[in-house]
Amino acid sequence: MGTIDTVSQFKPSNDSKVTVNLKFNATNATEAFSTLLRSDATSGGSYGKNCIRISFSVDAAMMDITKTVNGTETYLTLHKAAPIAPGKTSELTITDDGNNIQVFIDGSLVVSVTDSTQFDKNYITFADQPNNGWMNNSTQIDYISISTSGSSTPTHTPTPTPPPTPTQYNLTVTKSGNGSGVITTSTGSLTWSGNTGTAGYAPNTSVTLTAKPGMSSTFTGWSGCDTTSASQCTVQMTGNKTVEATFTTGTGLLLTVTKTGNGNGTVTTSTGTLNWSGNTGSALYSPNAQVMLTAEANNGSVFTGWSGCDVPIGNQCSLTMTAAKNVSVGFSGGCKKTRKDFNGDGKSDILWQNGSNGAVYMWFMDGTTVNSGGYADQGVPSDWSIY
C-alpha cells in the first residue's frame, strides 16, 4: 500500500467486535506510529479528545496502550516489550470487542487489557505519531484489513497481498555433545562455521543427512528431522529447517584396526561396529569383551596376515579387550602373470606365422589395438611349431 500518510479512518458500528490486521516494516530506528480505537479523531493532526490509542516505538521495541477521555490521557499498559525492530516486517493483529483489547505480533499475544469505555464516535484510525517530530512518513505498509462481527458491515476490507513464494529455504545443522563427528548431505553442500553448518535448498527438496562419529565418539541421535533411520535424518524443505545431531565421548576401550599393503579387502567384527576413516577403523568395547575380527580379500588381492592379535587364526584375529589395542591386517595386490606378454608391459600380445613364406611376426597389443610389431624370424619351415 505504500507509507502511512497522516490518517486513514474506518467506522464500524458500536456493537461490533473489530479485528484489525496490519503488515508493516519500519525502516528507520526512530519511527513510531499509532492505531486508534473508538476514536473521535477527524484528522492526523491530533488523537481527538476521546480514544483508545495503541502506539509502537520501533527503536525501543515496545508499545503502550492509553485511554484519552475528554482530552485527559491515562495508561492502560506502559512500555510493554514488543518484538519489532527497524527493517523487520511484522504482522500486527488487534482485536476489540468493546470490553477487551488484545494485541498480537506475528501470531503471538503481546498484551491484553480490559476496558469497556464507549464514546459517541467509533472511528478506527491509523496514523504516524502526529505532531511529535518522530516520524518521516516512511513506515512501509503492505496491507491493512478490518473485519467485524455483529450487525455492522465493514467499510474497508481490501484483499491482503500474499507474501511472495521463497526461492529457497535454509537448512541449519548443529552438532552438539562432547564428542566429535562428521555430517554429510545427499545433495548440496553444508558450509560450516564451528559446529553449525548451513545450506540453501529449493522449496520441497528432499535432503538426507548422515552422521558419522569420530574414533572415540558415539552418535546418539537426531532432533528436528522429518524422519530418521539409524544415523540418517531426512527433511523435506517446505520451509526453513533446523536439525541437531548429538555426538558423545564414548566410554570403554578403543580397538583400532589398520589395513596395510597394496591390496584391498574388508574386515568385520563379531560384535560392535567398526567406524572407518580411510584404511583405519575403530570401535569401543567394555573391559574384557571378546572380539573376533575376520578379514576377506577382494578379487585380485590376497590376505597376507595379522599383527597385534591375541591369537591369529588364519584370516581371523581373536582379541580380549583388557586394554586399548591396535591391530594391523595386510592385503597384497597378488602376483598374477599375464599370458603371452612378449614386451613385459602386462598386456597379452600376438605371435603369428605366414604359412606361404614362413615369416614369423609379433604384434605388441593394447587390448585390441596393435601398438607396434616386427619380425621374430623369417623362412621358418611350415612344419615347425612355435610356442
Side-chain angles (χ1 to χ4, degrees), residues 118-169:
Q118 298 295 329
F119 306 112
D120 291 338
K121 295 184 179 180
N122 192 31
Y123 287 110
I124 299 171
T125 303
F126 302 91
D128 297 339
Q129 299 284 46
N131 298 336
N132 56 19
W134 291 359
M135 281 300 296
N136 58 6
N137 293 336
S138 60
T139 298
Q140 181 68 32
I141 301 299
D142 285 355
Y143 62 78
I144 298 173
S145 67
I146 299 173
S147 60
T148 63
S149 60
S151 61
S152 67
T153 301
T155 60
H156 183 71
T157 55
T159 302
T161 302
T165 302
T167 58
Q168 76 169 23
Y169 291 117

Side-chain angles (χ1 to χ4, degrees), residues 215 254-269 274-283 293-296 302-309 315 317 319 325-332:
M215 275 194 175
L254 181 65
L255 171 62
T256 303
V257 181
T258 304
K259 292 189 285 188
T260 63
N262 62 354
N264 294 301
T266 60
V267 179
T268 57
T269 179
L274 290 168
N275 294 311
W276 290 93
S277 177
N279 286 326
T280 302
S282 62
L293 301 173
T294 301
E296 295 289 343
V302 177
F303 165 72
T304 59
W306 296 99
S307 66
C309 305
N315 69 330
C317 168
L319 297 161
K325 297 198 173 183
N326 293 286
V327 172
S328 294
V329 56
F331 295 102
S332 170

